[in-house]
C-alpha cells in the first residue's frame, strides 16, 4: 500500500510537470500579451511539488499506523511475536508534537527463534517514559523478512497472550497445567509471608520460593507455597508483606498460580 501510494504520487507529479513543460515549449500564439508559461498550467507543478512530499511523509514507517491506529496493510497479516526492547532513539520526526522513535528489538518468533529487528513508531510523550530496555511488546513480523517489525496495534490481547504463554512454556517458566489454572481458576489475593531465592537462574530470570496466605472468596484463608521464575525488575512485587494476585482451583488449593504483569 505504501509503495503503491508513493508510486502513484510520483507518476502524477511527473505527468503534471511534464505537461507544463510540454505546453510551454509547444505553445504558439500571435498575441504578444499571451505568455506560454503563464496560465492555469502553472498550478500543476506547484500542486505536484506539494503533494509528493506530503505523500512520502505520511507513508513513512510509523506515521500511517499513528494516524489510523492500525498496523500498515503489509503487517496486518503478519505473524505475532514478542519484541524485547534493547534500545531506542529519537529520529527527529514529530507528528502533532509527538516524537517518532526507532526501537531496536530482540524478537522471539512464533516458533521460538530469536532475531534482531527494528521498528519506527510515534510514541505519545505521556508514554515515552514507559519505553525502556527490557520492556516486552507484541510485534508483527513477516517471515523471510525480519529486519523490520511493527508493534502490534490490533488490540488482540488473546493472540498476544498465546504468544506469551508459548514463550514461557518453551523457557520452562510455566506448564500447561498452570496455564489452565490461570484461565479457569478462582481469582484471589494473597499476602507474601516469606521469600527465598535458591540461586537458580534461567534465561535471566531468578527462581524464587514464596510462602503465601491466600484469602478465599468467603473470607477464610489457607497457606501454600509457590515457585516462580522472575526477572530482576519483578522481585520487588513479591517482597514479604506485599499483596499479590493468584489463581487456584477449589479442588486443589496446594497448586496456586501467581499472576504478575509482564512488564513489571
Amino acid at each position: 500500500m505504501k509503495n503503491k501510494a508513493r508510486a502513484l504520487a510520483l507518476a502524477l507529479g511527473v505527468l503534471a510537470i511534464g505537461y507544463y513543460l510540454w505546453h510551454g515549449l509547444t505553445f504558439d500564439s500571435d498575441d504578444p500579451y499571451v505568455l506560454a508559461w503563464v496560465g492555469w498550467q502553472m498550478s500543476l507543478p506547484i500542486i505536484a511539488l506539494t503533494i509528493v512530499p506530503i505523500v512520502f511523509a505520511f507513508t513513512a514507517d510509523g506515521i500511517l499506523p499513528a494516524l489510523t491506529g492500525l498496523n500498515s496493510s503489509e503487517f496486518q497479516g503478519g505473524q505475532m511475536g514478542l519484541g524485547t526492547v534493547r534500545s531506542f532513539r529519537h529520529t527527529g520526526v514529530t507528528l502533532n508534537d509527538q516524537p517518532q522513535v526507532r526501537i531496536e528489538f530482540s524478537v522471539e518468533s512464533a516458533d521460538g527463534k530469536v532475531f534482531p529487528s527494528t521498528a519506527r513508531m510515534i510514541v505519545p510523550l505521556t508514554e515515552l517514559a514507559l519505553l525502556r530496555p527490557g520492556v516486552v511488546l507484541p510485534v508483527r513480523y513477516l517471515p523471510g523478512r525480519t529486519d523490520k517489525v511493527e508493534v502490534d496495534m490490533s488490540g488482540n490481547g488473546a493472540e498476544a497472550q498465546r504468544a506469551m504463554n508459548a514463550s514461557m512454556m518453551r523457557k520452562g517458566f510455566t506448564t500447561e497445567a498452570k496455564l489452565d489454572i490461570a484461565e479457569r481458576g478462582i481469582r484471589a489475593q494473597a499476602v507474601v509471608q516469606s521469600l527465598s531465592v535458591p540461586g537458580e537462574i534461567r534465561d535471566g530470570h531468578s527462581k524464587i520460593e514464596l510462602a503465601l496466605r491466600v484469602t478465599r472468596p468467603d473470607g477464610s484463608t489457607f497457606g501454600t507455597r509457590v515457585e516462580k521464575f522472575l526477572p530482576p525488575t519483578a522481585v520487588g512485587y513479591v517482597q514479604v508483606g506485599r499483596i499479590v494476585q493468584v489463581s487456584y482451583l477449589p479442588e486443589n488449593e496446594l497448586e496456586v498460580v501467581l499472576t504478575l504483569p509482564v512488564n513489571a
Side-chain angles (χ1 to χ4, degrees):
M1 180 64 180
K2 176 181 71 175
N3 293 334
K4 290 181 180 178
R6 290 183 171 184
L8 179 61
L10 283 174
L12 293 176
V14 170
L15 287 174
I17 295 173
Y19 177 78
Y20 176 68
L21 293 174
W22 174 82
H23 180 273
L25 293 172
T26 61
F27 183 81
D28 185 18
S29 175
D30 295 331
D31 189 344
Y33 294 102
V34 177
L35 301 178
W37 301 98
V38 178
W40 68 270
Q41 297 84 3
M42 291 180 60
S43 63
L44 295 178
I46 295 174
I47 294 172
L49 293 175
T50 301
I51 291 178
V52 171
I54 290 176
V55 171
F56 271 70
F58 279 85
T59 55
D61 291 340
I63 301 297
L64 197 58
L67 294 172
T68 63
L70 300 171
N71 288 101
S72 64
S73 58
E74 183 181 16
F75 282 88
Q76 283 181 8
Q79 294 192 24
M80 178 75 77
L82 299 175
T84 301
V85 177
R86 297 164 57 196
S87 64
F88 71 94
R89 62 177 177 82
H90 297 271
T91 65
V93 176
T94 60
L95 179 65
N96 295 329
D97 296 326
Q98 309 298 323
Q100 183 192 62
V101 296
R102 173 188 167 93
I103 307 173
E104 301 285 341
F105 279 115
S106 176
V107 179
E108 182 179 353
S109 65
D111 58 1
K113 295 179 180 178
V114 178
F115 57 89
S117 193
T118 63
R120 291 174 184 259
M121 66 179 300
I122 301 295
V123 180
L125 290 171
T126 54
E127 300 177 10
L128 195 59
L130 302 177
L131 190 64
R132 61 188 187 277
V135 166
V136 179
L137 299 173
V139 298
R140 295 281 180 180
Y141 68 94
L142 302 177
R145 183 190 168 189
T146 58
D147 61 309
K148 185 172 67 173
V149 297
E150 286 188 8
V151 174
D152 179 56
M153 303 181 72
S154 67
N156 191 337
E159 187 178 2
Q161 187 62 56
R162 285 194 297 270
M164 177 61 68
N165 292 344
S167 173
M168 293 176 66
M169 289 182 62
R170 282 193 296 266
K171 296 173 182 176
F173 295 160
T174 190
T175 63
E176 288 189 11
K178 289 182 178 180
L179 291 175
D180 180 60
I181 293 173
E183 182 178 354
R184 297 192 301 112
I186 295 174
R187 305 291 191 270
Q189 291 185 334
V191 178
V192 180
Q193 294 184 313
S194 69
L195 164 67
S196 63
V197 183
E200 182 180 349
I201 297 177
R202 186 179 298 171
D203 196 40
H205 290 53
S206 300
K207 182 179 180 179
I208 62 167
E209 297 177 351
L210 302 174
L212 302 177
R213 174 59 58 175
V214 182
T215 301
R216 300 185 183 92
D218 62 4
S220 60
T221 64
F222 66 91
T224 189
R225 299 190 67 85
V226 171
E227 294 181 353
K228 191 174 180 68
F229 284 89
L230 292 179
T233 54
V235 175
Y237 283 78
V238 293
Q239 295 299 307
V240 175
R242 293 293 297 265
I243 297 177
V244 295
Q245 301 297 317
V246 298
S247 298
Y248 70 95
L249 297 175
E251 62 269 21
N252 183 14
E253 293 182 342
L254 294 178
E255 188 70 35
V256 172
V257 174
L258 182 65
T259 304
L260 291 175
V262 172
N263 296 311

